[in-house]
Amino acid sequence: MKIKNPRTGQYYYEIFPPTFEELKDKTNFMRESQEVWKELGIEHRIKALQAWKEVVNEHKEELIDALCMDTGRKWETILEVDLVASSIERWSNISRDFFSIIERKTSSIPFLEIEQGYEPYSLVGVISPWNFPLLLSLIDTIPALLAGCAVIVKPSEITPRFIEVLQKTINHIPDLLGILNYVEGGGETGADLCKLTDIVCFTGSTETGKKVYQAACDNFIPIFLELGGKDAVIVTETADIERATSAILWGSVANAGQSCLSIERIYVHRNVYHQFLSRLVGKANLLQLAYPTMDSGQIGPIISEKQVAIIDNQLDDAFKKGAVLKAGSKKCEELDGGFYCKATILTNVTHDMKLMNEETFGPILPVMIYNTTEQAIDFANNTQYGLSGAVFADTEEEAMKIARKLKCGAVSINDAALTAVMHEGEKNSFKMSGIGGTRMGPSALKRFMKQKAYLINSQKVNDPWWFG
Ligand code: NAD
């Protein structure tokens, strides 16, 4: 399978996906290894991950280079690599706390007590997308390892260059041998993983998520799906416009809009619309493409060619239906074989346009006027997605009143896209944005364990319901 460089459009790398039989052998070995891993105890597992963290740090530059080749952008890549260490730190603390408590409690029957046990799933399959290749391949992997599972990860075939470097760091840690493995491959390998693992954590499109859900059903295993979004922001007439425009621009344009939690719809109260629009346009026009070098500007290339076609199609549809261009350009532009999209602001948008309904995954900011708070809430909720959203208002109270009515899993208040940087808040993905327990916050750890109740007749009294 040949892979293109997003900055040049040239093939620069090749991956060799494993056959089903090869994958089966690997997963069998991993299941055996996990028997030992789970018995090592939490402190030993934390030590192994801390040691891995050090090795990743030693290979930081190599990892950054590989990820830059995968994605064509730098700033976000550095952030991704830095997050490995902080994520291991955070999950180590959460797991230590979790495993230090043995839950023993009395029951409604006076002579019976309950001890709560947890049994880690043997093998977790992680399937991840291309927009944050490292971060999203690890977001479920680290807590799963600490819970006592073995984990096999299949990142996207669009951004696979980093796998080799990361696997090299894993191979330095003897305790992780057979416990953590990255494999290359596309959809077929992902589908194979769904047949060979005990639980699947999938991050990707809603379309593929449905297939993975079906496969998990056939295999009768639990599934966690983190899928697409169409996040809305509501800017009330009391909002600080200077603040709102800066935050929203970042929330829409960071990573060239290639984030599930990007702001993709902007609803602004009629009384502040013109002021808002002129500040947003002014700020958007200051942003530059990260071309000809990665350091040249803030907006890197669109990583996936397929996404370029989706963005162009949505823009074309919007202009045909009457949208007006206020900043940016009418389509993605090709520069030396890479495709780029400027921060693009559109007005005169309507809800029959694709870019107001379907996920765009590009730095496109459609701005629409609303008249009443109820209308803004209706607009924001009128989507098949329910990932996250944002509200700007003068007081927290006013913003929270609106936020409580939004049908999505996380709402940034007087800020935007905060789930990108804050992983502590427990949240579910609503509607077609996902299914399964929260991946963030302490309770996410429990996803990787089966609960087991030990029901103890601690006083050894005869049960009154026995026959004799
Ligand atoms: P995608 O669905 O095309 O692919 C995701 C992964 O699934 C890839 O590794 C791919 O090889 C694999 N895959 C493809 N077919 C499969 C199958 N039949 N069985 C198993 N695996 C299969 O998504 P993408 O284009 O890589 O990523 C972009 C999407 O991911 C966007 O929709 C975005 O919103 C979403 N996303 C969601 C979150 C979140 O946390 N909710 C985060 C990032 C990205």
Side-chain angles (χ1 to χ4, degrees), residues 89-107:
E89 257 344 286
R90 189 176 70 255
W91 280 114
S92 294
N93 292 334
I94 291 173
S95 324
R96 185 176 281 123
D97 288 350
F98 179 84
F99 286 109
S100 67
I101 300 165
I102 296 171
E103 289 177 46
R104 176 101 180 208
K105 46 192 182 210
T106 53
S107 73

Side-chain angles (χ1 to χ4, degrees), residues 127-132 136 154-158 185-192 194 202-209 211-212 225-229 259-261 304 306-307 359 361 387 427 429 433 439:
I127 302 171
S128 53
W130 49 261
N131 59 320
F132 283 97
L136 292 168
K154 193 212 76 66
S156 169
E157 65 277 26
I158 294 171
E188 209 175 303
T189 311
D192 286 347
C194 296
F202 172 85
T203 308
S205 64
T206 299
E207 194 188 341
T208 313
K211 290 184 200 161
V212 172
L225 300 175
E226 299 285 349
L227 311 175
S259 305
C260 53
L261 46 76
S304 153
K306 197 173 138 199
Q307 209 62 43
E359 188 178 48
F361 232 53
L387 199 61
K427 62 178 274 283
S429 299
S433 286
R439 76 162 18 159

Side-chain angles (χ1 to χ4, degrees), residues 8 49 62 67 84 96 100 120 130 142 201 207 216 222 245 247 258 303 317 338 342 345 388 397 400 442 444 450-451:
T8 63
L49 287 203
E62 204 183 337
L67 282 161
V84 178
R96 185 176 281 123
S100 67
W130 49 261
I142 292 170
C201 296
E207 194 188 341
T245 45
Q258 301 165 113
I303 298 166
D317 170 73
K342 290 191 182 123
I345 300 175
S388 39
E397 197 188 352
M400 286 293 283
K450 287 170 265 194
Q451 285 176 298

Side-chain angles (χ1 to χ4, degrees), residues 15-269:
I15 57 171
F16 301 92
T19 62
F20 184 78
E21 285 310 315
E22 285 166 345
L23 213 50
K24 197 171 170 190
D25 288 347
K26 195 180 269 279
T27 53
N28 283 343
F29 176 64
M30 292 183 78
R31 282 177 197 285
E32 280 171 30
S33 310
Q34 187 267 343
E35 291 291 329
V36 179
W37 177 247
K38 75 170 180 188
E39 296 301 335
L40 288 176
I42 186 59
E43 284 309 324
H44 196 119
R45 292 200 291 271
I46 288 175
K47 234 171 141 180
L49 287 203
Q50 294 287 346
W52 182 42
K53 184 183 86 179
E54 297 306 322
V55 179
V56 170
N57 201 32
E58 284 160 24
H59 291 78
K60 192 172 166 177
E61 292 311 316
E62 204 183 337
L63 198 52
I64 288 174
D65 286 348
L67 282 161
C68 284
M69 277 192 255
D70 277 332
T71 59
R73 42 70 166 163
K74 197 164 177 191
W75 178 83
E76 295 88 343
T77 296
I78 295 170
L79 191 75
E80 275 194 87
V81 175
D82 285 344
L83 280 171
V84 178
S86 57
S87 177
I88 290 178
E89 257 344 286
R90 189 176 70 255
W91 280 114
S92 294
N93 292 334
I94 291 173
S95 324
R96 185 176 281 123
D97 288 350
F98 179 84
F99 286 109
S100 67
I101 300 165
I102 296 171
E103 289 177 46
R104 176 101 180 208
K105 46 192 182 210
T106 53
S107 73
S108 54
I109 301 169
F111 54 88
L112 295 183
E113 288 183 23
I114 303 163
E115 190 173 305
Q116 189 62 58
Y118 294 93
E119 176 83 17
Y121 285 96
S122 180
L123 183 58
V124 177
V126 169
I127 302 171
S128 53
W130 49 261
N131 59 320
F132 283 97
L134 177 68
L135 172 73
L136 292 168
S137 76
L138 285 173
I139 195 163
D140 296 311
T141 298
I142 292 170
L145 289 169
L146 288 165
C149 313
V151 186
I152 184 158
V153 189
K154 193 212 76 66
S156 169
E157 65 277 26
I158 294 171
T159 50
R161 181 67 189 84
F162 79 100
I163 296 175
E164 192 190 346
V165 182
L166 197 69
Q167 187 64 51
K168 194 168 69 179
T169 66
I170 297 165
N171 296 346
H172 272 83
I173 311 297
D175 276 331
L176 292 180
L177 183 73
I179 296 302
L180 174 59
N181 270 310
Y182 271 64
V183 290
E184 298 173 336
E188 209 175 303
T189 311
D192 286 347
L193 272 197
C194 296
K195 294 181 192 141
L196 292 166
T197 50
D198 303 311
I199 164 177
V200 170
C201 296
F202 172 85
T203 308
S205 64
T206 299
E207 194 188 341
T208 313
K210 283 184 194 172
K211 290 184 200 161
V212 172
Y213 200 5
Q214 189 66 55
C217 174
D218 293 342
N219 201 19
F220 206 60
I221 58 170
I223 181 102
F224 297 97
L225 300 175
E226 299 285 349
L227 311 175
K230 190 78 199 166
D231 285 8
V233 57
I234 295 174
V235 182
T236 67
E237 60 180 324
T238 63
D240 176 340
I241 299 302
E242 210 42 55
R243 187 179 167 72
T245 45
S246 292
I248 291 169
L249 190 63
W250 184 84
S252 295
V253 177
N255 201 33
Q258 301 165 113
S259 305
C260 53
L261 46 76
S262 281
I263 289 177
E264 297 206 349
R265 294 174 296 144
I266 304 169
Y267 298 110
V268 185
H269 192 276

Side-chain angles (χ1 to χ4, degrees), residues 243-405:
R243 187 179 167 72
T245 45
S246 292
I248 291 169
L249 190 63
W250 184 84
S252 295
V253 177
N255 201 33
Q258 301 165 113
S259 305
C260 53
L261 46 76
S262 281
I263 289 177
E264 297 206 349
R265 294 174 296 144
I266 304 169
Y267 298 110
V268 185
H269 192 276
R270 176 172 294 283
N271 293 349
V272 290
Y273 173 76
H274 291 291
Q275 187 195 354
F276 177 90
L277 189 63
S278 107
R279 288 307 293 133
L280 190 68
V281 169
K283 290 178 186 180
N285 282 336
L286 295 176
L287 298 183
Q288 310 268 322
L289 296 180
Y291 175 87
T293 71
M294 278 187 259
D295 296 315
S296 312
Q298 302 83 1
I299 308 173
I302 302 302
I303 298 166
S304 153
E305 251 181 9
K306 197 173 138 199
Q307 209 62 43
V308 175
I310 292 171
I311 296 169
D312 281 350
N313 177 277
Q314 290 192 12
L315 285 172
D316 188 46
D317 170 73
F319 290 123
K320 278 189 182 137
K321 290 175 179 159
V324 173
L325 183 71
K326 291 289 178 181
S329 48
K330 288 206 148 187
K331 61 197 287 259
C332 298
E333 53 189 306
E334 189 181 344
L335 298 165
D336 286 343
F339 286 91
Y340 296 79
C341 186
K342 290 191 182 123
T344 297
I345 300 175
L346 302 168
T347 58
N348 275 37
V349 290
T350 51
H351 285 118
D352 64 343
M353 293 175 183
K354 287 182 189 173
L355 62 72
M356 293 299 280
N357 290 291
E358 298 167 15
E359 188 178 48
T360 310
F361 232 53
I364 313 293
L365 299 90
V367 188
M368 196 169 181
I369 296 175
Y370 74 83
N371 295 308
T372 65
T373 304
E374 289 65 36
Q375 190 185 33
I377 293 165
D378 277 352
F379 284 167
N381 286 338
N382 184 19
T383 166
Q384 61 166 330
Y385 294 111
L387 199 61
S388 39
V391 182
F392 287 83
D394 179 31
T395 64
E396 201 179 296
E397 197 188 352
E398 186 188 351
M400 286 293 283
K401 236 175 164 171
I402 297 172
R404 287 201 177 90
K405 295 200 170 144

